Amino acid sequence: MSITNRLNDLGVTLPDAPAPAANYVPFVVTGSTVYVSGQISSGPDGFITGKLGQDMDVDAGAAAAKTCAISLLAQVKAACNGDIERLVRVIKLTAFVNSTADFTDQPKVVNGASDFLVEALGDAGRHARSAVSAASLPLGVAVEIEGIFEIK
C-alpha cells in the first residue's frame, strides 16, 4: 500500500511544509539522505505548548509529538518535490520534550511520534531514536523533533 493511501486510511493529510523561523533551511538532502530540522508541536489552533510534569500529561504530550511527526513527513514530501512515495525509511529521530526536572517519561511522550510513523509507514517507519528532556523549548512548545530519512 502506498504511503499516501496509508495516511488517508489514518485520516491524515500532510500540511504544507512549515517554513523555517530563522536563518536555517527546513531540510538538507545529500545523496539519498534527508536531514529535517526540528519540527515543533503545532495543530490547527496554533502551537501546542506546555511542560510535561507540570501542566501537561503524557497522553497530551504524545499527541503533540505526533504533530511533530506529521510535520517531519511534510518536510520529507517537500524535499522529494511533492512525491512522498520516494520515502524509503525513517532512519533516526531526535526528540526534545519540554519537561520538569523530575519528569522521566520522555520516551512515552515520544512514542506518539514513533507509533504514528510505524502506523503510517509500516516497517519503513521503524527507527533509531533519542528522547531527552529540555528545560524549555522555542515558543513554549511541548515537543520538538528532528529526523533523518532515506529517500530514493
Side-chain angles (χ1 to χ4, degrees):
M1 178 183 288
S2 74
I3 295 170
T4 302
N5 288 342
R6 282 178 181 250
L7 290 170
N8 287 340
D9 287 351
L10 294 171
V12 174
T13 301
L14 294 181
D16 291 335
N23 189 19
Y24 64 91
V25 294
F27 56 81
V28 171
V29 179
T30 180
S32 63
T33 306
V34 180
Y35 296 86
V36 179
S37 295
Q39 301 297 298
I40 59 177
S41 52
S42 63
D45 298 325
F47 298 122
I48 300 170
T49 60
K51 185 174 282 287
L52 279 292
Q54 180 176 304
D55 57 6
M56 185 175 253
D57 65 19
V58 170
D59 289 340
K66 178 181 175 181
T67 70
C68 295
I70 291 168
S71 292
L72 286 166
L73 290 182
Q75 292 292 359
V76 171
K77 182 178 178 181
C80 293
N81 299 314
D83 185 5
I84 192 66
E85 303 306 324
R86 289 180 52 201
L87 175 58
V88 174
R89 71 165 301 129
V90 183
I91 297 171
K92 182 169 194 252
L93 300 181
T94 303
F96 305 91
V97 179
N98 187 353
S99 53
T100 61
D102 60 346
F103 183 81
T104 59
D105 284 333
Q106 290 83 2
K108 290 180 183 175
V109 169
V110 180
N111 283 345
S114 296
D115 292 347
F116 168 74
L117 289 169
V118 172
E119 277 185 288
L121 306 173
D123 283 342
R126 298 192 185 286
H127 52 271
R129 161 183 115 173
S130 298
V132 299
S133 180
S136 66
L137 288 174
L139 306 170
V141 296
V143 182
E144 179 174 352
I145 303 176
E146 64 181 29
I148 304 171
F149 301 82
E150 180 184 355
I151 60 171
K152 56 185 170 190

